[in-house]
Amino acid sequence: MSPPVRSTVASRLGEATAQFFRLARPSSPVVATDPNDDERGYALESLAEGTEQLRQMPIEPLPFRIGRRPGLELVLPSHCVSRVHAEISEHDGVLFIRDLDSRNGTFVNHVPISEAEIAEGDIVHLGDFEFRIGRQTTGPSDGNGAATATYAPFALSQQFREGARALKELLLRGDVTAEFQPIVFVPSGRLAFFEALGRGTHPDLPRSPVELLQIAESVGAEVDLSRLFRRRAVELVSARSHVTGLFLNTHPSELREPGLVESMEELRSLAPDVDLTLEIHESALARPEVMAALRDHLSEINVGLAYDDFGAGQARLLELAEAPPHYLKFDRRFVMGIDQAPPSRQRLVASLVAAARELLVKTVAEGVETAAEAEVCARLGFSLAQGYHFGRPAPVDAF
């Protein structure tokens, strides 16, 4: 069963915490788009070397010539760039880039071109400079003369990840699915929950959620993608009576932005009969007061809280006591080979499990791959277990 609703929580939260969790994003569908995109001009985006600071150069006026020669619209001071290297123009509302017989070539998404259409998210290389096509977030240029790039050139393909253009399509179309891995009671092995694991389905993007989130991070869309993964998982199980509980993952950025609790409240309305639990990486325990507030807010909407990968960085026992979750998932390094581990290691794990039990926290052993590991985990006091021994991630219809 999900944790009970506690009606007195909101009155005990400070205004700052309440504001931290207030709704700031629209409800579904989740898309990383700006309704004013068509009204904003295009820009060449670059990253200052060795930093994540984004710089923009408006692509105006058109035609927009780029090269080493003074007086061009963009001057790139590098001998890898030709005097007049490339030109960007517009035809019927579409941007094109044309190579002007440069010595080292012009590349769009790592493919050499003589002329090609470009759009938001495309990556352009000119000599040893790398740019991404974006929308202007600053005011338009005054058009009074050429601009000179003041940042240093950087190695080819070291800054921007490919796929930003296709990722926008993925978010617009909802091109994701989910696979599900069983979480079972021990020692019985009886099914308790599933963990939902997002997967991509866009033909031009990786299927792996790790790779997709890395692309999303490069364009600031990781929160949108994470929420889309969760929503699709709940949609897939909402009409399946055999799925009674679901663990849902988060991205760390979601703790820095408002709207997390509200996004879960929406999912609760989509699947009122499914026990939902939100997984947060244990590193978030560095801010126990925020996690305690999050736990209480989730409890109010009948959603559980789990800390994932406990002990992956450090076992935050003091913070755990200040902000205990409903579930604590022990990192697989505690579990791997536990049946062959020396008694001292087994006693350590047992003591951590017992400490969690004292806080009324249910414990989950992650990464259980053998029957022997499962048996020892049950003996050490774990409430639940997850791993290939009990089932690999698979589509919901496989269960």
Side-chain angles (χ1 to χ4, degrees), residues 257-293:
E257 295 196 20
L260 176 58
V261 172
E262 288 78 6
S263 74
M264 292 304 300
E265 190 170 13
E266 182 183 2
L267 298 186
R268 163 53 67 219
S269 67
L270 289 177
D273 298 325
V274 178
D275 282 346
L276 299 180
T277 299
L278 190 68
E279 290 194 25
I280 305 289
H281 192 270
E282 65 97 26
S283 59
L285 270 171
R287 296 189 296 167
E289 68 287 349
V290 172
M291 297 312 298

Side-chain angles (χ1 to χ4, degrees), residues 193-207:
F193 307 96
F194 287 100
E195 179 179 352
L197 303 165
R199 301 287 187 264
T201 60
H202 191 286
D204 298 327
L205 288 170
R207 180 173 170 80

Side-chain angles (χ1 to χ4, degrees), residues 90-146:
E90 182 181 7
H91 303 287
D92 298 326
V94 178
L95 284 184
F96 290 84
I97 187 167
R98 180 165 61 97
D99 183 75
L100 300 178
D101 297 322
S102 66
R103 182 178 62 183
N104 290 316
T106 299
F107 296 75
V108 175
N109 297 324
H110 305 280
V111 176
I113 58 94
S114 56
E115 184 173 19
E117 176 185 339
I118 52 176
E120 185 178 2
D122 285 337
I123 299 170
V124 175
H125 286 99
L126 305 162
D128 50 359
F129 282 84
E130 181 180 60
F131 299 95
R132 184 174 64 201
I133 306 299
R135 292 283 188 170
Q136 290 185 37
T137 57
T138 57
S141 149
D142 59 13
N144 294 327

Side-chain angles (χ1 to χ4, degrees), residues 158-201:
Q158 293 300 305
Q159 300 291 313
F160 293 119
R161 295 185 64 90
E162 288 187 73
R165 185 176 180 181
L167 183 77
K168 187 172 183 179
E169 294 177 357
L170 177 150
L171 292 169
L172 282 168
R173 302 190 316 213
D175 288 341
V176 300
T177 188
E179 292 185 346
F180 300 85
Q181 186 173 29
I183 300 174
V184 305
F185 293 107
V186 290
S188 70
R190 180 169 57 88
L191 179 65
F193 307 96
F194 287 100
E195 179 179 352
L197 303 165
R199 301 287 187 264
T201 60

Side-chain angles (χ1 to χ4, degrees), residues 57-58 60-61 64-65 70-75 141-148:
M57 170 61 61
E60 55 185 41
F64 187 87
R65 295 169 302 164
L72 301 179
E73 281 68 40
L74 178 59
V75 180
S141 149
D142 59 13
N144 294 327
T148 299

Side-chain angles (χ1 to χ4, degrees), residues 4-271:
V5 174
R6 283 178 280 179
S7 59
T8 61
V9 170
S11 63
R12 292 187 279 110
L13 296 173
E15 177 60 30
T17 303
Q19 182 177 356
F20 179 85
F21 289 112
R22 76 180 187 276
L23 179 62
R25 291 177 178 265
S27 57
S28 64
V30 180
V31 292
T33 59
D34 187 326
N36 298 317
D37 271 355
D38 292 337
E39 301 175 6
R40 293 185 291 152
Y42 286 97
L44 290 173
E45 297 179 337
S46 65
L47 291 172
E49 186 177 21
T51 76
E52 296 183 359
Q53 181 182 358
L54 191 67
R55 302 183 179 184
Q56 286 196 331
M57 170 61 61
I59 302 176
E60 55 185 41
L62 294 171
F64 187 87
R65 295 169 302 164
I66 306 168
R68 199 174 74 248
R69 192 183 76 190
L72 301 179
E73 281 68 40
L74 178 59
V75 180
L76 300 178
S78 168
H79 290 290
C80 296
V81 177
S82 296
R83 286 179 57 79
V84 184
H85 196 109
E87 179 182 87
I88 298 176
S89 58
E90 182 181 7
H91 303 287
D92 298 326
V94 178
L95 284 184
F96 290 84
I97 187 167
R98 180 165 61 97
D99 183 75
L100 300 178
D101 297 322
S102 66
R103 182 178 62 183
N104 290 316
T106 299
F107 296 75
V108 175
N109 297 324
H110 305 280
V111 176
I113 58 94
S114 56
E115 184 173 19
E117 176 185 339
I118 52 176
E120 185 178 2
D122 285 337
I123 299 170
V124 175
H125 286 99
L126 305 162
D128 50 359
F129 282 84
E130 181 180 60
F131 299 95
R132 184 174 64 201
I133 306 299
R135 292 283 188 170
Q136 290 185 37
T137 57
T138 57
S141 149
D142 59 13
N144 294 327
T148 299
T150 58
Y151 37 84
F154 32 71
L156 192 68
S157 306
Q158 293 300 305
Q159 300 291 313
F160 293 119
R161 295 185 64 90
E162 288 187 73
R165 185 176 180 181
L167 183 77
K168 187 172 183 179
E169 294 177 357
L170 177 150
L171 292 169
L172 282 168
R173 302 190 316 213
D175 288 341
V176 300
T177 188
E179 292 185 346
F180 300 85
Q181 186 173 29
I183 300 174
V184 305
F185 293 107
V186 290
S188 70
R190 180 169 57 88
L191 179 65
F193 307 96
F194 287 100
E195 179 179 352
L197 303 165
R199 301 287 187 264
T201 60
H202 191 286
D204 298 327
L205 288 170
R207 180 173 170 80
S208 160
V210 173
E211 294 179 74
L212 285 174
L213 284 165
Q214 288 173 343
I215 296 171
E217 288 167 358
S218 74
V219 293
E222 64 272 21
V223 171
D224 294 310
L225 179 58
S226 180
R227 293 181 183 179
L228 180 59
F229 278 146
R230 288 200 299 271
R231 182 179 181 86
R232 183 52 46 83
V234 171
E235 289 173 343
L236 288 170
V237 306
S238 60
R240 286 157 170 89
S241 58
H242 69 287
V243 180
T244 59
L246 201 59
F247 276 55
L248 299 165
N249 288 293
T250 58
H251 188 277
S253 294
E254 295 187 77
L255 292 176
R256 298 190 292 270
E257 295 196 20
L260 176 58
V261 172
E262 288 78 6
S263 74
M264 292 304 300
E265 190 170 13
E266 182 183 2
L267 298 186
R268 163 53 67 219
S269 67
L270 289 177

